[in-house]
């Protein structure tokens, strides 16, 4: 091939690559503002976020923080100081937040602070770091003006802990997992989700993603983690790339369920990368779940649940889970929140 032809071929290839990489910037109908969150308990969370998003200049970042704060103020098994404790009877909190400019922050294994998501935001905005843990995170929060709350379990958490204590045993990890999974299948015990009578899960990690009127994305994820976990255990929620990832050029993803499995595949980052390749949010979530199931299909079917939710730059959304029972909430205007059942790998 002569030089001129080589040059032309390269130029054409360059143009094709440019148009492909710019495909995410192509003008499309945008559904905005929009907020999506994990579980049916996401409805009031979305509503709180929408209070910010309904304003022309409302920022997705403020919206996801406000949404997460909303559930951190309630008593439930899986988020905030009212959540289920670890094996020592202490509630330890994980949270992360990420904005439209690749800024991110998180806290893990933090005690006594009511709003871990807001501490995560302070880590993002006021420190050169992305993750603070344990006493260091609490100390930082107090320096930033957060109040240290007393070590008191909520009534529900105390009851759940007393129940768990009746059979509590330290076992090697595999046995701990089996013990947890039996309880999980019955819908109670150390796993975070609570099962409703019809077999649907009530809620687990609260994770939400928002697209604001300016077309910017942000995400937040907050949890007390797996109930009755080993002391010091940290899940996926505070780990950027695992429990949460936002790329403003493409989309955002977050997760709920067994954090160890999500960390193993850097789940949320993987979903965003699939969207970058042009996959729809639901297909991207499905492909990440397939990656996860492939590791050990039997275990995935019988022993745990993971669900991803994703939102792309155009306001298109989707979700996918390993097992049935995962639901998510979608809100596009004040008061119009709806709960959607996610498809799953196993039926
Ligand atoms: N997905 C929450 C956790 O595993 O802690």
């Amino acid at each position: 091939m002569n030089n001129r032809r080589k040059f032309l071929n390269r130029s054409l290839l360059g143009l094709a690559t440019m148009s492909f990489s710019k495909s995410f910037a192509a003008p499309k109908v945008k559904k905005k503002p929009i907020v999506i969150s994990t579980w049916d308990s996401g409805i009031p969370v979305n509503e709180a976020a929408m209070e910010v998003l309904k304003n022309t200049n409302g920022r997705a970042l403020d919206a996801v923080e406000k949404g997460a704060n909303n559930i951190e103020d309630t008593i439930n098994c899986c988020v905030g100081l009212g959540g289920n404790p670890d094996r020592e009877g202490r509630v330890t909190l994980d949270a992360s937040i990420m904005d439209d400019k690749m800024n991110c922050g998180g806290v893990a294994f933090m005690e006594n602070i009511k709003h871990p998501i807001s501490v995560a935001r302070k880590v993002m905005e006021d420190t050169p770091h992305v993750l603070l843990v344990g006493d260091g995170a609490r100390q930082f929060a107090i320096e930033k003006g957060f109040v240290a709350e007393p070590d008191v379990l909520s009534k529900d958490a105390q009851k759940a802990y007393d129940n768990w204590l009746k059979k509590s045993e330290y076992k090697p990890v595999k046995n701990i997992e089996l013990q947890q999974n039996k309880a999980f299948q019955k819908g109670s015990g150390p796993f975070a989700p609570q099962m409703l009578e019809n077999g649907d899960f009530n809620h687990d990690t609260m994770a939400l993603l928002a697209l604001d009127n300016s077309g910017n994305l942000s995400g937040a994820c907050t949890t007390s983690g797996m109930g009755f976990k080993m002391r010091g255990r940290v899940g996926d929620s505070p780990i950027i790339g695992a429990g949460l990832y936002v790329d403003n050029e493409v989309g955002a993803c977050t997760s709920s369920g067994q954090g160890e499995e999500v960390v193993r595949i850097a789940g949320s980052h993987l979903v965003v990368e699939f969207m970058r390749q042009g996959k729809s949010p639901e297909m991207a979530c499905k492909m990440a779940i397939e990656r996860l199931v492939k590791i050990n299909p039997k275990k995935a079917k019988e022993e745990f649940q993971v669900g991803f939710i994703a939102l792309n730059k155009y306001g298109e959304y989707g979700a996918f889970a390993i097992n049935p029972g995962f639901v998510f909430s979608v809100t596009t205007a004040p008061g119009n929140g709806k709960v959607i059942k996610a498809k799953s790998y196993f039926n």
Side-chain angles (χ1 to χ4, degrees):
M1 200 184 291
N2 67 32
N3 283 345
R4 185 177 145 72
R5 185 171 295 172
K6 268 189 205 154
F7 171 78
L8 281 173
N9 280 350
R10 271 199 215 113
S11 305
L12 285 173
L13 189 68
L15 278 173
T17 312
M18 266 170 66
S19 62
F20 177 77
S21 65
K22 281 196 168 173
S23 63
F24 275 98
K28 264 198 177 187
V29 179
K30 289 200 167 86
K31 290 177 211 152
K32 58 183 186 177
I34 179 171
V35 54
I36 70 171
S37 56
T38 50
W39 304 105
D40 49 351
S41 50
I43 292 292
V45 168
N46 288 3
E47 207 52 39
M50 193 47 73
E51 275 304 299
V52 176
L53 294 173
K54 71 182 185 191
N55 304 312
T56 316
N57 295 323
R59 275 187 82 190
L61 179 65
D62 295 326
V64 293
E65 182 185 10
K66 202 161 170 208
N69 283 162
N70 175 279
I71 196 158
E72 287 169 348
D73 278 333
T74 66
I75 301 289
N76 68 68
C77 65
C78 316
V79 180
L81 291 177
N84 285 337
D86 65 12
R87 285 159 186 252
E88 316 293 328
R90 306 283 296 264
V91 178
T92 69
L93 304 177
D94 299 339
S96 66
I97 194 160
M98 190 159 183
D99 74 6
D100 54 298
K101 297 179 183 68
M102 291 277 161
N103 298 311
C104 50
V107 290
F109 188 46
M110 185 176 73
E111 294 175 87
N112 304 111
I113 305 292
K114 199 171 182 181
H115 290 302
I117 201 68
S118 298
V119 185
R121 182 167 175 175
K122 291 276 181 212
V123 172
M124 173 174 92
E125 291 180 339
D126 295 358
T127 81
H129 310 303
V130 295
L131 183 61
L132 293 180
V133 305
D135 286 345
R138 177 172 51 183
Q139 185 184 320
F140 169 74
I142 291 166
E143 278 164 20
K144 288 288 165 187
F146 292 82
V147 175
E149 306 286 342
D151 278 321
V152 185
L153 293 184
S154 66
K155 229 166 80 186
D156 289 354
Q158 186 66 57
K159 205 167 138 199
Y161 184 53
D162 290 344
N163 254 341
W164 179 81
L165 278 175
K166 284 180 199 159
K167 289 193 275 183
S168 66
E169 276 177 277
Y170 260 96
K171 291 184 177 179
V173 171
K174 197 161 179 229
N175 289 346
I176 288 168
E177 282 175 3
L178 288 174
Q179 183 197 5
Q180 286 168 339
N181 290 325
K182 272 188 209 134
F184 175 67
Q185 282 157 23
K186 281 193 238 131
S188 62
F191 263 78
Q194 288 177 341
M195 207 177 258
L196 301 175
E197 274 175 15
N198 62 8
D200 284 346
F201 295 111
N202 190 10
H203 46 72
D204 175 322
T205 302
M206 177 43 62
L208 66 157
L209 307 169
L211 178 69
D212 62 28
N213 281 304
S214 308
N216 289 322
L217 288 159
S218 287
C221 191
T222 182
T223 186
S224 49
M226 186 188 288
F228 320 112
K229 60 198 171 188
M230 293 180 79
R231 184 146 179 84
R233 181 265 185 190
V234 169
D236 58 325
S237 303
I239 312 291
I240 296 296
L244 174 68
Y245 198 69
V246 178
D247 183 330
N248 208 45
E249 287 187 359
V250 178
C253 175
T254 189
S255 59
S256 183
Q258 181 143 337
E260 284 76 2
E261 303 311 314
V262 179
V263 170
R264 222 180 288 292
I265 60 159
S268 291
H269 183 260
L270 184 62
V271 170
V272 170
E273 290 310 300
F274 284 141
M275 288 195 286
R276 193 190 306 280
Q277 292 166 14
K279 302 291 181 280
S280 71
E282 183 182 296
M283 180 54 74
C285 293
K286 182 170 185 265
M287 287 168 74
I289 290 290
E290 284 167 353
R291 176 86 58 96
L292 208 158
V293 170
K294 200 172 152 199
I295 298 168
N296 189 336
K298 187 172 175 336
K299 214 172 157 192
K301 183 172 187 180
E302 293 173 3
E303 300 186 8
F304 50 73
Q305 173 69 309
V306 167
F308 291 111
I309 62 170
L311 176 65
N312 72 14
K313 188 71 185 154
Y314 311 124
E316 296 162 337
Y317 58 85
F320 209 83
I322 299 178
N323 285 300
F326 181 51
V327 296
F328 64 109
S329 300
V330 179
T331 302
T332 55
N336 81 350
K338 58 182 178 185
V339 176
I340 300 175
K341 210 168 168 176
K343 290 184 194 152
S344 55
Y345 186 93
F346 296 109
N347 289 308

PDB file of all heavy atoms in Angstrom, residues 29-52:
ATOM      1  N   VAL A  29     -32.799  12.526  23.057  1.00  0.00           N
ATOM      2  CA  VAL A  29     -33.804  13.022  23.998  1.00  0.00           C
ATOM      3  C   VAL A  29     -33.353  12.652  25.402  1.00  0.00           C
ATOM      4  O   VAL A  29     -33.052  11.498  25.674  1.00  0.00           O
ATOM      5  CB  VAL A  29     -35.177  12.380  23.703  1.00  0.00           C
ATOM      6  CG1 VAL A  29     -36.219  12.868  24.689  1.00  0.00           C
ATOM      7  CG2 VAL A  29     -35.583  12.706  22.277  1.00  0.00           C
ATOM      8  N   LYS A  30     -33.281  13.627  26.273  1.00  0.00           N
ATOM      9  CA  LYS A  30     -32.819  13.341  27.629  1.00  0.00           C
ATOM     10  C   LYS A  30     -33.989  13.302  28.591  1.00  0.00           C
ATOM     11  O   LYS A  30     -34.846  14.174  28.564  1.00  0.00           O
ATOM     12  CB  LYS A  30     -31.818  14.401  28.084  1.00  0.00           C
ATOM     13  CG  LYS A  30     -30.493  14.298  27.383  1.00  0.00           C
ATOM     14  CD  LYS A  30     -29.433  15.009  28.204  1.00  0.00           C
ATOM     15  CE  LYS A  30     -28.032  14.676  27.718  1.00  0.00           C
ATOM     16  NZ  LYS A  30     -27.552  15.516  26.639  1.00  0.00           N
ATOM     17  N   LYS A  31     -34.005  12.241  29.417  1.00  0.00           N
ATOM     18  CA  LYS A  31     -35.037  12.168  30.446  1.00  0.00           C
ATOM     19  C   LYS A  31     -34.411  12.729  31.699  1.00  0.00           C
ATOM     20  O   LYS A  31     -33.653  12.036  32.380  1.00  0.00           O
ATOM     21  CB  LYS A  31     -35.442  10.717  30.678  1.00  0.00           C
ATOM     22  CG  LYS A  31     -36.204  10.120  29.517  1.00  0.00           C
ATOM     23  CD  LYS A  31     -36.500   8.640  29.795  1.00  0.00           C
ATOM     24  CE  LYS A  31     -36.532   7.866  28.493  1.00  0.00           C
ATOM     25  NZ  LYS A  31     -36.179   6.478  28.622  1.00  0.00           N
ATOM     26  N   LYS A  32     -34.646  13.972  31.988  1.00  0.00           N
ATOM     27  CA  LYS A  32     -34.060  14.566  33.175  1.00  0.00           C
ATOM     28  C   LYS A  32     -34.991  15.632  33.742  1.00  0.00           C
ATOM     29  O   LYS A  32     -35.746  16.241  32.966  1.00  0.00           O
ATOM     30  CB  LYS A  32     -32.680  15.150  32.864  1.00  0.00           C
ATOM     31  CG  LYS A  32     -32.699  16.182  31.773  1.00  0.00           C
ATOM     32  CD  LYS A  32     -31.327  16.700  31.440  1.00  0.00           C
ATOM     33  CE  LYS A  32     -31.509  17.833  30.439  1.00  0.00           C
ATOM     34  NZ  LYS A  32     -30.396  18.526  30.019  1.00  0.00           N
ATOM     35  N   PRO A  33     -34.977  15.858  35.015  1.00  0.00           N
ATOM     36  CA  PRO A  33     -34.151  15.132  35.967  1.00  0.00           C
ATOM     37  C   PRO A  33     -34.742  13.755  36.241  1.00  0.00           C
ATOM     38  O   PRO A  33     -35.909  13.504  35.985  1.00  0.00           O
ATOM     39  CB  PRO A  33     -34.228  16.002  37.218  1.00  0.00           C
ATOM     40  CG  PRO A  33     -35.587  16.608  37.159  1.00  0.00           C
ATOM     41  CD  PRO A  33     -35.868  16.822  35.702  1.00  0.00           C
ATOM     42  N   ILE A  34     -33.909  12.906  36.798  1.00  0.00           N
ATOM     43  CA  ILE A  34     -34.367  11.566  37.167  1.00  0.00           C
ATOM     44  C   ILE A  34     -33.511  11.072  38.320  1.00  0.00           C
ATOM     45  O   ILE A  34     -32.315  11.387  38.393  1.00  0.00           O
ATOM     46  CB  ILE A  34     -34.304  10.600  35.947  1.00  0.00           C
ATOM     47  CG1 ILE A  34     -34.769   9.195  36.350  1.00  0.00           C
ATOM     48  CG2 ILE A  34     -32.942  10.555  35.323  1.00  0.00           C
ATOM     49  CD1 ILE A  34     -34.954   8.236  35.168  1.00  0.00           C
ATOM     50  N   VAL A  35     -34.131  10.319  39.221  1.00  0.00           N
ATOM     51  CA  VAL A  35     -33.372   9.667  40.287  1.00  0.00           C
ATOM     52  C   VAL A  35     -33.855   8.234  40.395  1.00  0.00           C
ATOM     53  O   VAL A  35     -35.058   7.964  40.323  1.00  0.00           O
ATOM     54  CB  VAL A  35     -33.474  10.436  41.635  1.00  0.00           C
ATOM     55  CG1 VAL A  35     -34.912  10.676  42.049  1.00  0.00           C
ATOM     56  CG2 VAL A  35     -32.719   9.726  42.742  1.00  0.00           C
ATOM     57  N   ILE A  36     -32.910   7.304  40.503  1.00  0.00           N
ATOM     58  CA  ILE A  36     -33.274   5.897  40.706  1.00  0.00           C
ATOM     59  C   ILE A  36     -32.544   5.392  41.953  1.00  0.00           C
ATOM     60  O   ILE A  36     -31.455   5.869  42.292  1.00  0.00           O
ATOM     61  CB  ILE A  36     -32.942   5.012  39.479  1.00  0.00           C
ATOM     62  CG1 ILE A  36     -31.428   4.832  39.284  1.00  0.00           C
ATOM     63  CG2 ILE A  36     -33.567   5.583  38.215  1.00  0.00           C
ATOM     64  CD1 ILE A  36     -31.073   3.794  38.218  1.00  0.00           C
ATOM     65  N   SER A  37     -33.175   4.451  42.645  1.00  0.00           N
ATOM     66  CA  SER A  37     -32.554   3.947  43.870  1.00  0.00           C
ATOM     67  C   SER A  37     -32.906   2.486  44.087  1.00  0.00           C
ATOM     68  O   SER A  37     -33.857   1.963  43.498  1.00  0.00           O
ATOM     69  CB  SER A  37     -33.016   4.771  45.074  1.00  0.00           C
ATOM     70  OG  SER A  37     -34.420   4.752  45.148  1.00  0.00           O
ATOM     71  N   THR A  38     -32.134   1.838  44.948  1.00  0.00           N
ATOM     72  CA  THR A  38     -32.352   0.427  45.229  1.00  0.00           C
ATOM     73  C   THR A  38     -33.580   0.246  46.115  1.00  0.00           C
ATOM     74  O   THR A  38     -33.828   1.046  47.013  1.00  0.00           O
ATOM     75  CB  THR A  38     -31.127  -0.156  45.960  1.00  0.00           C
ATOM     76  OG1 THR A  38     -30.784   0.687  47.056  1.00  0.00           O
ATOM     77  CG2 THR A  38     -29.936  -0.255  45.028  1.00  0.00           C
ATOM     78  N   TRP A  39     -34.320  -0.794  45.868  1.00  0.00           N
ATOM     79  CA  TRP A  39     -35.418  -1.253  46.727  1.00  0.00           C
ATOM     80  C   TRP A  39     -36.634  -0.321  46.702  1.00  0.00           C
ATOM     81  O   TRP A  39     -36.554   0.811  46.228  1.00  0.00           O
ATOM     82  CB  TRP A  39     -34.937  -1.480  48.162  1.00  0.00           C
ATOM     83  CG  TRP A  39     -33.783  -2.432  48.207  1.00  0.00           C
ATOM     84  CD1 TRP A  39     -32.465  -2.106  48.409  1.00  0.00           C
ATOM     85  CD2 TRP A  39     -33.810  -3.853  47.981  1.00  0.00           C
ATOM     86  NE1 TRP A  39     -31.683  -3.237  48.332  1.00  0.00           N
ATOM     87  CE2 TRP A  39     -32.480  -4.327  48.081  1.00  0.00           C
ATOM     88  CE3 TRP A  39     -34.815  -4.769  47.718  1.00  0.00           C
ATOM     89  CZ2 TRP A  39     -32.143  -5.657  47.918  1.00  0.00           C
ATOM     90  CZ3 TRP A  39     -34.483  -6.109  47.559  1.00  0.00           C
ATOM     91  CH2 TRP A  39     -33.167  -6.542  47.661  1.00  0.00           C
ATOM     92  N   ASP A  40     -37.708  -0.847  47.260  1.00  0.00           N
ATOM     93  CA  ASP A  40     -38.946  -0.069  47.365  1.00  0.00           C
ATOM     94  C   ASP A  40     -38.816   1.036  48.406  1.00  0.00           C
ATOM     95  O   ASP A  40     -39.533   2.039  48.353  1.00  0.00           O
ATOM     96  CB  ASP A  40     -40.145  -0.983  47.685  1.00  0.00           C
ATOM     97  CG  ASP A  40     -39.873  -1.930  48.831  1.00  0.00           C
ATOM     98  OD1 ASP A  40     -38.703  -2.010  49.275  1.00  0.00           O
ATOM     99  OD2 ASP A  40     -40.813  -2.597  49.303  1.00  0.00           O
ATOM    100  N   SER A  41     -37.905   0.845  49.339  1.00  0.00           N
ATOM    101  CA  SER A  41     -37.676   1.900  50.336  1.00  0.00           C
ATOM    102  C   SER A  41     -37.031   3.127  49.675  1.00  0.00           C
ATOM    103  O   SER A  41     -36.811   4.147  50.326  1.00  0.00           O
ATOM    104  CB  SER A  41     -36.792   1.383  51.476  1.00  0.00           C
ATOM    105  OG  SER A  41     -35.640   0.763  50.946  1.00  0.00           O
ATOM    106  N   GLY A  42     -36.750   3.025  48.383  1.00  0.00           N
ATOM    107  CA  GLY A  42     -36.185   4.156  47.645  1.00  0.00           C
ATOM    108  C   GLY A  42     -37.210   5.238  47.319  1.00  0.00           C
ATOM    109  O   GLY A  42     -36.829   6.353  46.942  1.00  0.00           O
ATOM    110  N   ILE A  43     -38.492   4.928  47.444  1.00  0.00           N
ATOM    111  CA  ILE A  43     -39.501   5.931  47.072  1.00  0.00           C
ATOM    112  C   ILE A  43     -39.349   7.239  47.882  1.00  0.00           C
ATOM    113  O   ILE A  43     -39.205   8.314  47.287  1.00  0.00           O
ATOM    114  CB  ILE A  43     -40.936   5.341  47.163  1.00  0.00           C
ATOM    115  CG1 ILE A  43     -41.138   4.262  46.078  1.00  0.00           C
ATOM    116  CG2 ILE A  43     -42.003   6.429  47.049  1.00  0.00           C
ATOM    117  CD1 ILE A  43     -41.163   4.773  44.634  1.00  0.00           C
ATOM    118  N   PRO A  44     -39.355   7.183  49.219  1.00  0.00           N
ATOM    119  CA  PRO A  44     -39.159   8.440  49.963  1.00  0.00           C
ATOM    120  C   PRO A  44     -37.762   9.038  49.772  1.00  0.00           C
ATOM    121  O   PRO A  44     -37.583  10.260  49.824  1.00  0.00           O
ATOM    122  CB  PRO A  44     -39.391   8.051  51.432  1.00  0.00           C
ATOM    123  CG  PRO A  44     -39.297   6.570  51.484  1.00  0.00           C
ATOM    124  CD  PRO A  44     -39.646   6.055  50.130  1.00  0.00           C
ATOM    125  N   VAL A  45     -36.799   8.181  49.526  1.00  0.00           N
ATOM    126  CA  VAL A  45     -35.426   8.631  49.270  1.00  0.00           C
ATOM    127  C   VAL A  45     -35.396   9.453  47.974  1.00  0.00           C
ATOM    128  O   VAL A  45     -34.844  10.565  47.919  1.00  0.00           O
ATOM    129  CB  VAL A  45     -34.486   7.399  49.175  1.00  0.00           C
ATOM    130  CG1 VAL A  45     -33.130   7.773  48.622  1.00  0.00           C
ATOM    131  CG2 VAL A  45     -34.366   6.734  50.533  1.00  0.00           C
ATOM    132  N   ASN A  46     -36.030   8.912  46.939  1.00  0.00           N
ATOM    133  CA  ASN A  46     -36.104   9.622  45.653  1.00  0.00           C
ATOM    134  C   ASN A  46     -36.848  10.948  45.805  1.00  0.00           C
ATOM    135  O   ASN A  46     -36.483  11.956  45.181  1.00  0.00           O
ATOM    136  CB  ASN A  46     -36.848   8.778  44.619  1.00  0.00           C
ATOM    137  CG  ASN A  46     -36.036   7.591  44.138  1.00  0.00           C
ATOM    138  OD1 ASN A  46     -34.935   7.358  44.611  1.00  0.00           O
ATOM    139  ND2 ASN A  46     -36.590   6.832  43.215  1.00  0.00           N
ATOM    140  N   GLU A  47     -37.895  10.895  46.625  1.00  0.00           N
ATOM    141  CA  GLU A  47     -38.709  12.100  46.823  1.00  0.00           C
ATOM    142  C   GLU A  47     -37.844  13.217  47.430  1.00  0.00           C
ATOM    143  O   GLU A  47     -37.915  14.375  47.005  1.00  0.00           O
ATOM    144  CB  GLU A  47     -39.875  11.734  47.757  1.00  0.00           C
ATOM    145  CG  GLU A  47     -41.121  12.554  47.597  1.00  0.00           C
ATOM    146  CD  GLU A  47     -41.653  12.659  46.166  1.00  0.00           C
ATOM    147  OE1 GLU A  47     -41.620  11.673  45.423  1.00  0.00           O
ATOM    148  OE2 GLU A  47     -42.095  13.757  45.799  1.00  0.00           O
ATOM    149  N   ALA A  48     -37.023  12.838  48.406  1.00  0.00           N
ATOM    150  CA  ALA A  48     -36.129  13.826  49.037  1.00  0.00           C
ATOM    151  C   ALA A  48     -35.125  14.357  48.004  1.00  0.00           C
ATOM    152  O   ALA A  48     -34.837  15.566  47.956  1.00  0.00           O
ATOM    153  CB  ALA A  48     -35.403  13.186  50.216  1.00  0.00           C
ATOM    154  N   ALA A  49     -34.617  13.464  47.177  1.00  0.00           N
ATOM    155  CA  ALA A  49     -33.659  13.880  46.141  1.00  0.00           C
ATOM    156  C   ALA A  49     -34.336  14.786  45.115  1.00  0.00           C
ATOM    157  O   ALA A  49     -33.756  15.768  44.641  1.00  0.00           O
ATOM    158  CB  ALA A  49     -33.064  12.645  45.457  1.00  0.00           C
ATOM    159  N   MET A  50     -35.593  14.474  44.797  1.00  0.00           N
ATOM    160  CA  MET A  50     -36.314  15.243  43.781  1.00  0.00           C
ATOM    161  C   MET A  50     -36.583  16.676  44.245  1.00  0.00           C
ATOM    162  O   MET A  50     -36.707  17.586  43.423  1.00  0.00           O
ATOM    163  CB  MET A  50     -37.621  14.503  43.426  1.00  0.00           C
ATOM    164  CG  MET A  50     -38.331  14.988  42.198  1.00  0.00           C
ATOM    165  SD  MET A  50     -37.327  15.254  40.693  1.00  0.00           S
ATOM    166  CE  MET A  50     -36.964  13.595  40.139  1.00  0.00           C
ATOM    167  N   GLU A  51     -36.654  16.881  45.549  1.00  0.00           N
ATOM    168  CA  GLU A  51     -36.804  18.241  46.088  1.00  0.00           C
ATOM    169  C   GLU A  51     -35.671  19.145  45.590  1.00  0.00           C
ATOM    170  O   GLU A  51     -35.848  20.329  45.369  1.00  0.00           O
ATOM    171  CB  GLU A  51     -36.771  18.202  47.629  1.00  0.00           C
ATOM    172  CG  GLU A  51     -38.103  17.903  48.279  1.00  0.00           C
ATOM    173  CD  GLU A  51     -39.193  18.885  47.848  1.00  0.00           C
ATOM    174  OE1 GLU A  51     -39.041  20.089  48.110  1.00  0.00           O
ATOM    175  OE2 GLU A  51     -40.180  18.433  47.225  1.00  0.00           O
ATOM    176  N   VAL A  52     -34.495  18.549  45.433  1.00  0.00           N
ATOM    177  CA  VAL A  52     -33.341  19.289  44.899  1.00  0.00           C
ATOM    178  C   VAL A  52     -33.414  19.345  43.370  1.00  0.00           C
ATOM    179  O   VAL A  52     -33.265  20.398  42.751  1.00  0.00           O
ATOM    180  CB  VAL A  52     -32.011  18.614  45.330  1.00  0.00           C
ATOM    181  CG1 VAL A  52     -30.823  19.312  44.694  1.00  0.00           C
ATOM    182  CG2 VAL A  52     -31.890  18.578  46.847  1.00  0.00           C
TER     183      VAL A  52
END
